[in-house]
């Protein structure tokens, strides 16, 4: 499966990364060379092999369903590029 | 006595305990070293005022008879660890101005043990790289130079700033993170000891995430004993990281008995690669001889899926990165590049905020996780990962540790191998399998190339058996007797 310029534009859209038109051709080449190289995994028969979910056998610990944090709105928005009245500010989403 | 900034962690600890110097004097020496070493570009943020405050507080604690395991020891912290009130960038433009309101668990553990923060070290952007050439804050220079060759060399990556800081004798130790080898590989090419603990040994909470199933924090130091001391302070269960394992942290320093008699050391034949430099092959043979001379038995083993580790890694790591890096959207922290709509703002911010390597990996990750390709790429790689772990599990039925080279080459010049991503990825060929299988690995400086550059040997241990791994590493260190100095030593 080869990645072409239009696939690059599609992936870039999914990843929310602006890729200028002039860069798409070169990027398609780079992605193809990486994908071509990882294709060698196809040599391996992995039928019946379970995909790894965790390297260490652990049961995830449960915690009490209780509030353990909060009440720090100003800290939460302190790093925001734009905030208003304790909210994150973004371009208008709903007309 | 050696200059204070050139002391190891263990020597500084012992000197402080005997009252030969204060934490403030020790820290002052490191601050001066940090200033004199600025041409290396090892630090993104220097924190000298905070360091001196922490050192004075440490001296006050010691005066009261309270001394932690790292009391008064100045450390450099990779800029991937969130530090409360101190700029944390992950080497990326997209985290411009980000000042965490919280402290990572690993650094909090270090400060609780009495350590002092010198500053935040430079690194490949989001830890993606093997040469420290993808940082928004510029390349880091390796303090080592080849004989008769004045070109600036890479310090390895992604923990390149941490490696350069310790190799240049700015700090006796530094934190790093290792997702595909990026503690062990820079350690190998800067003449240091670098260790990736078992996955789950150190909390990932507050460490900027790259690939969550692979990332693990660890120390870079100038000796195996220092590595043991630092890990003891960094490790431990943390309820805030669900993959942090709740088992006791042993006394790693006590594991350094120097006795490897009766241990069985596996030598995996698949690590003997075509085109591997003779010097690395010869060093590996030396390592085998050293361990045999110390009473260990070496055993030829096979890890048949080794060649598939790197391609599997370059599916799994970008997939996880594409998900983890989705949070950089110009809304909650860091850079925002304006756009007419929300989507345009996201795209502009991420297009400008991420560097080329990060964009490449996020896009690969997006592709392999996208509808229609998820099974062919991502699930396939996870199945291969199961096979790689199985190789190790079977090998460890017969051996106690595994010995390999750490990296396929010594340091190379800044600018080399930059146009071919895959050639760059090959730097991690011997280190990636331990990440995919969660196992601990350590690189020990073992020799110089004919050109005068350091090379390391890697010991891989059983899961959560860092003690045996450290014991073997200690014996290799003693046998190698590596005491060469880089061309640049701060303050000399």
């Amino acid at each position: 499966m080869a990645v072409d310029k239009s696939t690059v534009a599609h992936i870039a859209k999914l990843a929310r990364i602006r890729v200028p038109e002039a860069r798409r051709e070169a990027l398609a080449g780079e992605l193809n060379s990486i994908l071509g190289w990882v294709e060698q995994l196809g040599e391996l028969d992995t039928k019946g092999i379970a995909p790894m979910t965790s390297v260490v056998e652990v049961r995830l610990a449960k915690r009490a369903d209780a509030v353990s944090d909060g009440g720090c709105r100003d800290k939460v928005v302190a790093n925001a590029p734009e905030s208003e009245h304790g909210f994150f500010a973004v371009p208008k989403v709903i007309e | 006595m050696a200059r204070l900034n050139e002391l190891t962690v263990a020597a500084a600890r012992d000197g402080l305990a005997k009252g030969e110097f204060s934490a403030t004097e020790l820290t002052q020496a490191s601050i001066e070293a940090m200033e004199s070493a600025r041409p290396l570009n090892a630090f993104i943020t220097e924190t000298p005022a905070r360091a001196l405050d922490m050192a004075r507080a440490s001296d006050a604690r010691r005066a009261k008879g309270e001394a932690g395991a790292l009391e008064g020891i100045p450390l450099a912290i990779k800029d991937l660890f969130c530090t409360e009130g101190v700029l944390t960038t992950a080497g990326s433009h997209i985290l411009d101005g980000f000042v965490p309101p919280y402290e990572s668990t690993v650094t909090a553990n270090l400060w609780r043990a009495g350590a002092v923060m010198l500053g935040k070290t430079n690194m490949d952007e989001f830890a993606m790289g093997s040469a420290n050439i993808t940082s928004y804050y510029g390349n880091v220079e390796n303090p080592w130079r080849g004989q008769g060759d004045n070109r600036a060399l890479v310090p390895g990556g992604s923990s390149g700033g941490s490696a350069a800081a310790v190799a240049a004798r700015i700090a006796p130790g530094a934190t790093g993170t290792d997702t595909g080898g990026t503690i062990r590989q820079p350690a190998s090419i800067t003449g240091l000891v670098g260790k990736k603990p078992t996955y789950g040994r150190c909390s990932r909470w507050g460490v900027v995430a790259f690939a969550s199933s692979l990332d693990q924090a660890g120390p870079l130091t100038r000796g195996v004993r220092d590595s043991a001391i630092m890990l003891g302070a960094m490790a431990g269960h943390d309820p805030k990281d669900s993959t942090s394992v709740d088992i006791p942290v042993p006394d790693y320093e006590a594991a350094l008995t120097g006795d490897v008699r009766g241990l069985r050391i596996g030598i995996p034949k698949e690590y003997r690669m075509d085109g591997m430099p003779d010097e690395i092959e010869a060093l590996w043979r030396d390592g085998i001889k050293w361990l045999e001379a110390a009473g260990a038995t070496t055993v030829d083993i096979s890890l048949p899926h080794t060649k598939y580790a790197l391609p599997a890694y370059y599916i799994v790591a970008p997939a996880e990165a594409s998900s983890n890096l989705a949070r950089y959207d110009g809304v909650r922290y860091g850079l925002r590049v304006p756009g007419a709509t929300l989507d345009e703002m996201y795209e502009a911010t991420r297009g400008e905020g991420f560097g080329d390597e990060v964009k490449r990996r996020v896009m690969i990750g997006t592709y392999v996780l996208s509808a229609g390709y998820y099974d062919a790429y991502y699930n396939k790689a996870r199945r291969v990962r199961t096979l790689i772990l199985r190789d190790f599990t079977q090998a460890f039925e017969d051996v106690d540790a595994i010995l390999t080279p750490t990296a396929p080459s010594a340091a190379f010049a800044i600018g080399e191998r930059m146009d071919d991503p895959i050639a760059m990825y090959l730097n991690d060929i011997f280190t990636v399998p331990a990440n995919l299988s969660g196992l601990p690995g350590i690189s020990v400086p073992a020799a110089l190339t004919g050109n005068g550059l350091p090379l390391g040997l890697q010991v891989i241990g059983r899961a959560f058996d860092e003690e045996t791994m450290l014991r073997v590493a200690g014996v290799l260190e003693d046998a190698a007797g590596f005491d060469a100095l880089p061309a640049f030593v701060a303050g000399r």
Side-chain angles (χ1 to χ4, degrees):
Chain A
M1 165 62 210
V3 170
D4 57 17
K5 265 174 73 174
S6 71
T7 318
V8 167
H10 176 62
I11 303 169
K13 184 81 198 165
L14 288 175
R16 299 292 187 273
I17 294 175
R18 176 172 293 164
V19 177
E21 168 73 30
R23 175 86 183 101
R24 288 181 197 158
E25 191 73 55
L27 199 51
E30 291 165 19
L31 298 189
N32 273 325
S33 93
I34 296 168
L35 291 168
W37 173 68
V38 301
E39 290 289 345
Q40 58 180 297
L41 296 186
E43 298 165 12
L44 278 176
D45 181 4
T46 52
K47 233 179 262 135
I49 305 293
M52 180 183 281
T53 49
S54 170
V55 285
V56 178
E57 287 298 321
V58 281
R59 287 185 81 86
L60 288 184
K62 291 179 181 168
R63 59 166 170 76
D65 185 13
V67 175
S68 60
D69 201 359
C72 52
R73 187 188 69 181
D74 292 349
K75 262 176 131 174
V76 171
V77 295
N79 275 293
E82 277 183 48
S83 66
E84 285 173 29
H85 314 296
F87 294 97
F88 296 111
V90 296
K92 199 178 223 178
V93 180
I94 302 165
E95 290 298 332
Chain B
M1 195 174 69
R3 295 160 199 252
L4 292 183
N5 61 295
E6 296 184 23
L7 296 176
T8 60
V9 171
R13 175 190 66 182
D14 298 345
L16 284 163
K18 287 186 202 143
E20 289 169 5
F21 44 85
S22 67
T24 308
E25 288 165 325
L26 181 66
T27 299
Q28 187 60 44
S30 273
I31 290 171
E32 284 163 21
M34 181 164 65
E35 287 169 357
S36 77
R38 280 184 189 146
L40 297 177
N41 198 28
F43 286 81
I44 291 174
T45 305
E46 298 179 358
T47 57
R50 190 182 184 105
L52 285 171
D53 284 347
M54 291 175 89
R56 286 187 207 104
S58 169
D59 284 329
R61 281 192 299 272
R62 190 180 294 281
K64 284 194 287 179
E66 302 163 7
L70 288 170
E71 195 60 62
I73 306 292
L75 297 176
I77 302 298
K78 186 177 185 180
D79 209 16
L80 203 64
F81 292 84
C82 286
T83 42
E84 189 173 357
V86 176
L87 179 70
T88 298
T89 70
S92 182
H93 186 25
I94 210 159
L95 271 168
D96 272 6
F98 174 60
V99 178
Y102 51 83
E103 186 78 28
S104 82
T105 298
V106 161
T107 49
N109 289 347
L110 290 171
W111 314 145
R112 194 174 315 110
V116 167
M117 178 165 81
L118 284 173
K120 306 291 295 289
T121 57
N122 204 342
M123 53 179 285
D124 278 305
E125 185 180 5
F126 285 109
M128 297 179 191
S130 309
N132 219 124
I133 50 170
T134 72
S135 171
Y136 178 67
Y137 296 89
N139 300 335
V140 176
E141 257 186 44
N142 192 330
W144 292 83
R145 289 280 161 102
Q147 272 163 18
D149 182 350
N150 208 32
R151 287 181 304 168
L153 305 176
V154 302
S158 64
S159 310
S162 287
V166 179
R169 274 65 179 170
I170 297 168
T175 62
T177 58
D178 192 315
T179 303
T182 64
I183 289 175
R184 290 161 287 157
Q185 181 260 6
S188 175
I189 71 178
T190 60
L192 299 178
V193 173
K195 175 173 61 197
K196 181 193 93 70
T198 312
Y199 183 81
R201 185 59 98 176
C202 290
S203 169
R204 290 180 297 107
W205 194 82
V207 183
V208 175
F210 162 14
S212 303
S213 77
L214 303 163
D215 297 343
Q216 188 60 204
L220 286 135
T221 57
R222 292 194 295 271
V224 173
R225 181 169 301 276
D226 289 6
S227 190
I229 297 168
M230 265 188 81
L231 181 60
M234 293 167 73
H237 176 241
D238 177 13
K240 288 188 283 196
D241 172 3
S242 63
T243 61
S244 154
V245 174
D246 190 5
I247 54 171
V249 177
D251 179 348
Y252 294 117
E253 208 180 350
L256 303 176
T257 59
D259 184 3
V260 293
R261 283 174 301 172
L263 286 185
R264 292 171 66 79
I265 310 294
I267 310 300
K269 66 173 191 225
E270 288 81 5
Y271 282 59
R272 202 162 278 119
M273 288 184 0
D274 288 345
M276 188 155 91
D278 292 342
E279 288 175 318
I280 291 177
E281 183 92 44
L283 173 62
W284 197 10
R285 280 197 300 271
D286 285 341
I288 292 168
K289 270 188 274 169
W290 294 333
L291 291 177
E292 286 176 345
T297 306
T298 58
V299 187
D300 289 324
I301 60 168
S302 174
L303 300 167
H305 298 95
T306 298
K307 73 173 271 209
Y308 300 105
L310 210 52
Y313 174 86
Y314 276 97
I315 294 173
V316 171
E320 295 185 18
S322 74
S323 168
N324 275 324
L325 271 59
R327 72 191 66 176
Y328 304 104
D329 55 7
V331 174
R332 288 158 296 167
Y333 28 66
L335 180 75
R336 169 182 292 194
V337 177
T341 65
L342 190 59
D343 271 342
E344 282 179 23
M345 190 267 282
Y346 291 153
E347 288 172 2
T349 299
R350 292 163 63 81
E352 192 172 319
F354 291 144
D356 284 343
E357 181 62 24
V358 172
K359 281 189 246 192
R360 202 153 40 221
R361 294 204 201 183
V362 168
M363 291 180 66
I364 286 280
T366 304
Y367 183 73
V368 301
L369 291 177
S370 63
Y373 301 105
Y374 189 92
D375 207 55
Y377 288 107
Y378 184 60
N379 276 340
K380 179 80 183 183
R382 290 167 64 219
R383 289 190 168 90
V384 173
R385 208 175 159 183
T386 299
L387 292 173
I388 289 164
L389 176 59
R390 188 182 291 175
D391 285 354
F392 279 109
T393 305
Q394 283 167 357
F396 278 120
E397 284 170 11
D398 185 41
V399 300
D400 301 293
I402 293 170
L403 179 72
T404 78
T406 306
S409 74
F412 47 92
I414 293 174
E416 275 180 67
R417 305 184 194 181
M418 290 189 60
D419 45 0
D420 181 358
I422 292 169
M424 191 62 87
Y425 297 171
L426 289 172
N427 287 305
D428 295 337
I429 191 153
F430 299 140
T431 47
V432 149
N435 296 84
L436 288 172
S437 45
L439 300 171
I442 189 168
S443 178
V444 180
L448 293 178
T449 64
N451 194 25
L453 294 172
L455 289 173
L457 284 171
Q458 174 179 235
V459 182
I460 300 171
R462 288 194 180 95
F464 299 105
D465 186 15
E466 285 88 355
E467 290 165 283
T468 303
M469 178 183 84
L470 281 162
R471 188 147 51 103
V472 174
V475 167
L476 284 174
E477 179 182 48
D478 287 344
F482 184 91
D483 57 3
L485 282 172
F488 180 93
V489 174
R492 289 205 188 184

